[in-house]
Amino acid sequence: MKAIALFSGGLDSCLAIKIIQNMGIEVEAMHINTGFDSNFDKFEYLQNTAEELGVKFTLIDEREHFINNILFSPKYGYGKNMNPCIDCHANMINIAYNYMNENNAKFIISGEVLGQRPMSQKLDGLKKIEKLSLNSEIVVRPLSAKLLPPTLPEIKGWIDREKMYDISGRERKTQMELAQKFGLKNYESPAGGCLLTDRNFSIKLKNFIKENNLEVEDIDILKVGRHLKVDDKLVIISRNKDENPILKSYNGDKFEKMYPIGVPGPVGLIQKDAKKETKIKASEILLTYTKAKNGIVGINGENFEVNKLNSKEDIKKYMIF
């Protein structure tokens, strides 16, 4: 018998897999990429962790569907920021359910813990998720199973309810003890995660969609850089050398790339159709983050010879985040 595990790479999802594996059930780990994870190296980490757990790993690219159908019109609204957690979790279950039926699996595993998260993991939130799910009866939450009604796999005897747990709340002591028991060492910290729960990222996103339709290629540039408004045009300037390749690799049609010429420095993006005066201001800002007092900044084949601003304090009036 086979189960599909919703796999975040965090401790709870790893434990859920181990608990069901120990009942003799084959598990396949599925990660659904909505695009908004904070970790750029996430998928390599997930693959390695799945290998350590001894399970097949499947990655589902859900970014376009998530943007077009869930992010901006969630039936159950948002959390504190731009996080449509209930609709998102239900969508993940439905994706896993369809995949399960196509791949001869019998049920779905989730590492959710009752009461751990304020929106989607309280009892009321789980009931809302059920309403949006294609088949909530086959979703097993091994860490909190004893606190929840029996699921179909338990009722049919596919898995043993007594070998699951009654964990609730934000305290992680029991999970840490289980990790030691199961020999789990390499698992992702609970910090980080979905950027839609982050206030600063949500402000960037709200500002972006005031004038732009969000597309898949736009997501990564929202994750990095200093975001500024110059004459109502969005400008993004990398904060360090690790962010430069991300802005360099942008291949959408909303922005033009900015580079300092002849000196090391940050990469920038400026919203298309900016006036010459706006490009000059943006070039001055970008040059301020180099060691040069004056120099040339290239924007889409045009070169702008500018002086840096007197100080980085002068940039604050343009700064969004």
Side-chain angles (χ1 to χ4, degrees), residues 7-9 31 42-51 57:
F7 186 50
S8 70
H31 182 78
K42 179 81 170 188
F43 308 125
E44 181 181 355
Y45 160 77
L46 289 169
Q47 180 69 64
N48 292 338
T49 304
E51 287 178 8
F57 173 65

Side-chain angles (χ1 to χ4, degrees), residues 97-121:
Y97 177 70
N98 290 330
Y99 184 87
M100 177 195 84
N101 288 329
E102 294 167 1
N103 290 272
N104 300 315
K106 290 291 188 182
F107 62 97
I108 298 165
I109 308 165
S110 171
E112 292 164 292
V113 171
L114 188 64
Q116 187 178 84
R117 299 192 184 278
M119 188 174 183
S120 62
Q121 292 182 16

Side-chain angles (χ1 to χ4, degrees), residues 134-156:
L134 294 172
N135 187 347
S136 61
E137 292 183 332
I138 47 80
V139 181
V140 178
R141 298 174 173 90
L143 294 173
S144 295
K146 289 183 178 179
L147 300 174
L148 299 168
T151 57
L152 187 66
E154 297 166 73
I155 294 169
K156 287 192 170 285

Side-chain angles (χ1 to χ4, degrees), residues 5-180:
L6 294 172
F7 186 50
S8 70
L11 177 57
D12 293 341
S13 65
C14 293
L15 290 172
I17 289 173
K18 292 297 292 185
I19 291 165
I20 299 301
Q21 273 184 322
N22 288 347
M23 297 186 203
I25 305 293
E26 178 188 354
V27 178
E28 180 175 340
M30 170 187 284
H31 182 78
I32 298 169
N33 176 23
T34 63
F36 293 95
D37 196 277
S38 60
N39 184 357
F40 280 101
D41 299 319
K42 179 81 170 188
F43 308 125
E44 181 181 355
Y45 160 77
L46 289 169
Q47 180 69 64
N48 292 338
T49 304
E51 287 178 8
E52 291 176 10
L53 291 167
V55 298
K56 178 183 175 182
F57 173 65
T58 296
L59 177 65
I60 303 293
D61 187 345
E62 176 63 4
R63 292 175 296 173
E64 188 169 352
H65 178 263
F66 180 75
I67 290 171
N68 293 335
N69 297 280
I70 295 170
L71 178 56
F72 301 117
S73 57
K75 182 174 181 180
Y76 286 106
Y78 298 103
K80 287 184 177 180
N81 294 297
M82 286 288 289
N83 47 312
C85 294
I86 289 173
D87 293 68
C88 181
H89 280 244
N91 182 56
M92 289 182 178
I93 288 170
N94 291 340
I95 292 168
Y97 177 70
N98 290 330
Y99 184 87
M100 177 195 84
N101 288 329
E102 294 167 1
N103 290 272
N104 300 315
K106 290 291 188 182
F107 62 97
I108 298 165
I109 308 165
S110 171
E112 292 164 292
V113 171
L114 188 64
Q116 187 178 84
R117 299 192 184 278
M119 188 174 183
S120 62
Q121 292 182 16
K122 290 186 176 179
L123 195 57
D124 178 62
L126 294 179
K127 288 179 178 178
K128 289 175 181 175
I129 290 170
E130 287 180 4
K131 290 180 181 179
L132 296 178
S133 301
L134 294 172
N135 187 347
S136 61
E137 292 183 332
I138 47 80
V139 181
V140 178
R141 298 174 173 90
L143 294 173
S144 295
K146 289 183 178 179
L147 300 174
L148 299 168
T151 57
L152 187 66
E154 297 166 73
I155 294 169
K156 287 192 170 285
W158 301 342
I159 55 176
D160 188 347
R161 185 176 176 86
E162 292 307 309
K163 292 181 179 179
M164 295 190 286
Y165 294 84
D166 59 355
I167 302 171
S168 66
R170 299 178 68 86
E171 172 63 53
R172 296 175 63 82
K173 181 181 177 182
T174 305
Q175 287 99 309
M176 299 303 292
E177 291 172 351
L178 286 174
Q180 188 171 10

Side-chain angles (χ1 to χ4, degrees), residues 233-234 252-256 270-274 279 300:
K233 294 294 182 181
L234 180 60
D253 60 3
K254 299 182 180 71
F255 293 86
E256 296 173 341
I270 183 169
Q271 203 169 335
K272 274 193 174 179
D273 302 322
K279 290 181 179 180
N300 196 34

